[in-house]
Amino acid sequence: MPTIRARIAQGTVVHADESPAWNPLHAKFPMRRINHQHGYSLDGACTNGAESYFSRLRRGELGHHHHIAGPYLLRYAQEAAWREDLRRVSNGEQAHGIVGLAMQLRPSVDFCGYWQRARGA
């Protein structure tokens, strides 16, 4: 719970399922809860966005990644979030956006020398 509390902005309405694990969040955030035995979306509460994201992350691991190693979990999660956010954007627009951002940045300290198995820039 401390990790979640540290990363969710004050005033955010949190959507969660019926699991009691989410109960401590009621003290800090307005909550909307959904019981999936009664529906996927009721009274404005749903977890479809989160479920879609985790589904894409799992399919990525089973499909094109084959294994997600611990030290790189954040990178895989960020890629899955990017794919989820831009799933309705054309491939051409996605590529244009990536190239545009890449041209504005300096070489990555994480990936510089990756193929040569070297560390650092």
Side-chain angles (χ1 to χ4, degrees):
M1 284 300 143
T3 301
I4 293 171
R5 286 186 181 136
R7 286 177 169 73
I8 298 177
Q10 189 73 17
T12 299
V13 177
V14 176
H15 293 245
D17 60 16
E18 67 277 6
S19 170
W22 304 115
N23 290 345
L25 291 176
H26 281 277
K28 188 164 181 176
F29 301 102
M31 299 279 297
R32 290 199 178 147
R33 304 292 289 269
I34 182 73
N35 184 335
H36 289 297
Q37 292 179 347
H38 297 122
Y40 291 104
S41 177
L42 292 171
D43 301 324
C46 74
T47 57
N48 295 341
E51 290 171 6
S52 176
Y53 167 76
F54 286 118
S55 173
R56 288 178 191 275
L57 185 61
R58 278 192 302 275
R59 280 184 283 160
E61 180 178 18
L62 297 173
H64 58 272
H65 296 310
H66 302 294
H67 175 70
I68 295 179
Y72 302 106
L73 177 59
L74 177 61
R75 299 281 188 199
Y76 289 109
Q78 289 170 330
E79 179 193 355
W82 181 84
R83 289 175 183 268
E84 181 71 15
D85 290 346
L86 298 176
R87 67 188 182 277
R88 291 188 174 91
V89 174
S90 73
N91 290 343
E93 288 178 273
Q94 290 177 12
H96 187 267
I98 290 170
V99 170
L101 289 171
M103 298 306 287
Q104 295 174 17
L105 300 174
R106 295 172 46 197
S108 167
V109 295
D110 295 325
F111 295 111
C112 187
Y114 176 81
W115 297 111
Q116 297 80 19
R117 303 284 186 224
R119 296 277 183 205

